């Protein structure tokens, strides 16, 4: 499992909303400024589906990312299985006035683990910045 985390200076209801609502997901779900997330869907419940499209802003490349939530406890965690069968878990922990967001996921086999970790961490950093500034 690959593990990344951040600490977000915001109340849990705001952190949860910006993580789970499609209108927020499209604002932070990309690894660099030359990419964006033009579309997202998220049914945050057990057996609910999620998907998002990540695309280069110049139109040169895009891909869809999605799967099914296998267990959800509001304000605590979301467990999911990605479309390719890999497992993922996001945990939200109250840490003083901050919320620690811990994301764990099984690596895929095409890219080096360090590359995957760096990309997912960049997305998580975008999430933190977006949540704290909106």
């Amino acid at each position: 499992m690959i593990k990344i985390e951040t600490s977000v200076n915001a109340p849990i209801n705001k952190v949860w909303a910006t993580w789970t609502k499609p209108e927020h997901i499209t604002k932070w779900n990309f690894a660099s400024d030359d990419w964006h997330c033009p579309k997202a869907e998220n049914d945050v419940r057990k057996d609910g589906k999620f998907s998002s499209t990540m695309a280069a802003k110049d139109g040169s490349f895009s891909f869809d990312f999605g799967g099914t939530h296998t267990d959800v406890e509001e304000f605590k965690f979301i467990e999911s299985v990605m479309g390719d069968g890999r497992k993922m878990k996001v945990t939200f922990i109250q840490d003083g006035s901050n919320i620690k967001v811990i994301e764990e996921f099984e690596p895929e086999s095409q890219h080096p683990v360090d590359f995957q970790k760096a990309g997912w961490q960049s997305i998580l950093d975008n999430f933190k910045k977006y949540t704290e500034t909106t």
Side-chain angles (χ1 to χ4, degrees), residues 2-3 7 15 18 37 44 50 75 79 88 98 100 106 109 111 116 120 129:
I2 296 174
K3 181 179 176 179
S7 185
V15 171
T18 56
C37 179
V44 189
F50 67 93
F75 305 137
E79 293 181 358
M88 173 176 71
N98 293 330
K100 186 181 284 190
E106 294 177 333
S109 58
H111 299 96
Q116 294 176 66
W120 284 55
K129 181 180 176 185

Side-chain angles (χ1 to χ4, degrees), residues 9 23 128 132:
N9 186 11
E23 63 267 28
K128 171 185 170 67
E132 291 179 347

Side-chain angles (χ1 to χ4, degrees), residues 19-66:
W19 188 269
T20 60
K21 294 184 184 268
E23 63 267 28
H24 293 296
I25 294 169
T26 58
K27 305 287 195 280
W28 59 262
N29 192 24
F30 42 89
S32 62
D33 289 339
D34 54 340
W35 282 70
H36 66 139
C37 179
K39 184 179 133 193
E41 297 176 7
N42 195 16
D43 182 3
V44 189
R45 63 182 173 87
K46 187 178 188 311
D47 298 324
K49 305 282 187 207
F50 67 93
S51 68
S52 59
T53 299
M54 294 184 193
K57 287 182 179 177
D58 68 5
S60 63
F61 187 77
S62 72
F63 65 94
D64 293 324
F65 176 86

